[in-house]
Amino acid sequence: NAMACSLVTFEVDMETGQRKPDLTSVIPLVDGGTEGFSGHVRVMYPCVSGCFECTLNLFPPQQAVPLCTIAETPRNAAHCILYAHLIEAPKQFGDEKQDKDDPAYQQWVFQRAEERAAQFNIPGVSLMHTQGVIKNIIPAIASTNAIVAAACANEVFKVLTNCAAYVNNNLMYIGGQGVYAPTFRYERSPECIVCGAGVQVEIASSATLTQLLEQLAADPRLRLKTPSLRCEAGALQDDPTLYMRGVLEAEYRPNLDKPLSQLFADGSVLLVTDPSVPSPCIKVAVKFASLALS
């Protein structure tokens, strides 16, 4: 996803001044996935339609079971298995890390989970269920895989031959209680860190570069760890690089204590590189906060 978006080139509309993707540089992506009796097919045109990063906030959060429930009031077989895996195993094996793929360890967890389930009259503990819980295995069903794979191949054929309109741009397959396959469109996020124009950040012009780095690290949209900064436009110094990690870090360390108004102009666009971001670099547009009049 990030690689395909980075390959897109842009051209400026002479009438409106807006940047538009050059469609000859856009490489379509077709993606499919399944879980149990459900699946999806997506047709993405990088920087034209919504990409993966645009829709990450729509994915449901992972369900975590409170440890107090596992330890005190288990309600199903999975709770009993997690009790053996998370609570009993450390007591039995200490600091020795156990291999989840080891059949002997799986059998040990299964036996302890059976004993735990018997205490609370909970049915459903099996060796296969134990393996699925401790290894976090996502169930796969051959018929669902075949349907989604065929839909992906069909979309690729339509994109290559232009024989029919392709999905615009997401198809969901729901086969648990019959067959239901709705389609809908994922919109592109203008602040997407992969395909968008850039993330907007507001900060005082008197703030230092260190404070800007701290604000960027705390921003949940960016998820930065060790960022390096460079001005794409608006630099007030000969060297547009503001801060760089690695062997040249000492050379740019004096910039950390300088106010931002000495480094770049209001509305400047910064290019941020970081090992944790999914694209080669992300754009951050910095707007200086206006001072409130007393």
Side-chain angles (χ1 to χ4, degrees), residues 31-34 38-41 143-153 173:
D31 171 77
T34 67
S38 301
H40 80 274
V41 176
S143 59
T144 308
N145 292 346
I147 292 171
V148 171
C152 288
Y173 171 75

Side-chain angles (χ1 to χ4, degrees), residues 3-10 21-22 25-27 46-47:
M3 178 59 68
C5 290
S6 68
L7 296 175
V8 177
T9 59
F10 290 82
D22 180 2
S25 65
V26 175
I27 302 175
C47 299

Side-chain angles (χ1 to χ4, degrees), residues 96-113:
E96 182 182 354
K97 187 175 178 63
Q98 297 300 309
D99 184 4
K100 298 177 183 178
D101 294 316
D102 183 4
Y105 177 68
Q106 296 172 359
Q107 188 66 32
W108 183 89
V109 173
F110 167 56
Q111 293 174 353
R112 296 301 181 277

Side-chain angles (χ1 to χ4, degrees), residues 57 116 180 266:
N57 61 330
R116 177 75 170 174
Y180 181 50
D266 185 17

